[in-house]
Amino acid sequence: MVCGGFTCSKNTLAALNIFYILVSFVLVGVAAYARVVTVVTSLALVGGVISCGVFLFFTALIGLIGACRHHQVLLFFYMIILFLVFLVQFSLACACLAVNEEQREQLAKSGWDFSSNETRIIVQATSQCCGFKDQDWGQHPSCKSLTCCAKSDAACCNPGSSNSTLQNCPCSSCLEILSDKINYGFKLTGGIGLFFSFTEILGVWITVRYRNQKNPQANPSSFL
């Protein structure tokens, strides 16, 4: 049978949906990794990509069942939902890639402000940084336990202490340390999301074609 036939379209659509299931795991995994490495940042865009991955997984299951059964209703809703997932995923991916340095800093600041003291302590300990930004040394947990604060009486290492001095803080700010990770997280998530979003348009096109093809094993008196 030629490639444009019913069986070929059915097998192609089924294989494409299996591919979408794998893609959904990739999207969720990459976006989750981006959130983990940036720790405190409020990456709402990255969270949106995770949601797209989850929706894509369930949409692919619907498409797989519809393709195997040539179920007109399932294929119709699958086609509509997949197109909506494409629009959202494409928009979020472009937004992730378009975020500039100032916007990344604002997102990071928002995440830091909403983080608990315990989370800030973990960030400072794992990244060996002190405070969010250099002018905010008094608005963070004590950095006395950090290696960079050893034997230092700087105010950033002992906020509120009477023994604190006005000497420069020996530690880097957390924004300075995490900036590259935040940028990498956005670029990685946006790039992968954008690349795989175009395959969803292919799925919509194949579904439209497959729905209008006659099943050779069906009743010959009915077209669909």
Side-chain angles (χ1 to χ4, degrees):
M1 181 172 288
V2 295
C3 189
F6 177 86
T7 302
C8 181
S9 296
K10 176 180 179 179
N11 293 337
T12 302
L13 188 58
L16 193 59
N17 279 286
I18 294 175
F19 172 72
Y20 287 157
I21 291 175
L22 298 177
V23 169
S24 68
F25 286 114
V26 172
L27 288 176
V28 172
V30 169
Y33 168 76
R35 290 179 68 95
V36 169
V37 297
T38 52
V39 190
V40 298
T41 50
S42 178
L43 304 185
L45 295 176
V46 175
V49 175
I50 293 178
S51 299
C52 281
V54 174
F55 274 108
L56 182 60
F57 174 79
F58 289 107
T59 303
L61 290 180
I62 295 174
L64 187 59
I65 296 172
C68 293
R69 297 184 178 181
H70 197 230
H71 196 289
Q72 293 294 312
V73 177
L74 283 180
L75 289 173
F76 174 78
F77 283 107
Y78 163 76
M79 181 175 58
I80 299 300
I81 296 173
L82 185 62
F83 182 71
L84 293 177
V85 170
F86 160 75
L87 291 179
V88 174
Q89 183 177 322
F90 179 81
S91 301
L92 289 173
C94 290
C96 284
L97 294 174
V99 171
N100 57 37
E101 184 177 352
E102 181 180 353
Q103 292 168 329
R104 288 197 299 270
E105 181 177 333
Q106 291 174 351
L107 290 169
K109 182 66 166 65
S110 175
W112 179 271
D113 290 341
F114 283 100
S115 296
S116 64
N117 236 31
E118 290 74 15
T119 301
R120 296 179 184 180
I121 291 173
I122 293 173
V123 173
Q124 292 182 161
T126 55
S127 302
Q128 287 296 301
C129 59
C130 189
F132 176 75
K133 205 172 180 181
D134 52 356
Q135 68 262 35
D136 300 321
W137 294 128
Q139 303 174 14
H140 59 79
S142 174
C143 302
K144 189 173 184 179
S145 61
L146 301 181
T147 304
C148 54
C149 270
K151 300 180 181 180
S152 175
D153 292 327
C156 66
C157 297
N158 302 278
S161 172
S162 58
N163 296 325
S164 299
T165 66
L166 296 178
Q167 69 183 83
N168 293 332
C169 185
C171 305
S172 300
S173 68
C174 289
L175 177 62
E176 182 181 349
I177 297 297
L178 295 175
S179 180
D180 289 339
K181 292 182 179 180
I182 296 172
N183 183 47
Y184 176 73
F186 272 118
K187 299 304 181 186
L188 180 64
T189 304
I192 291 179
L194 184 64
F195 175 78
F196 286 121
S197 68
F198 291 108
T199 64
E200 292 156 14
I201 286 295
L202 177 63
V204 173
W205 177 77
I206 294 177
T207 304
V208 172
R209 182 173 182 174
Y210 178 56
R211 286 187 74 243
N212 294 313
Q213 289 179 322
K214 181 180 178 180
N215 185 348
Q217 297 179 346
N219 189 340
S221 63
S222 62
F223 176 68
L224 295 176

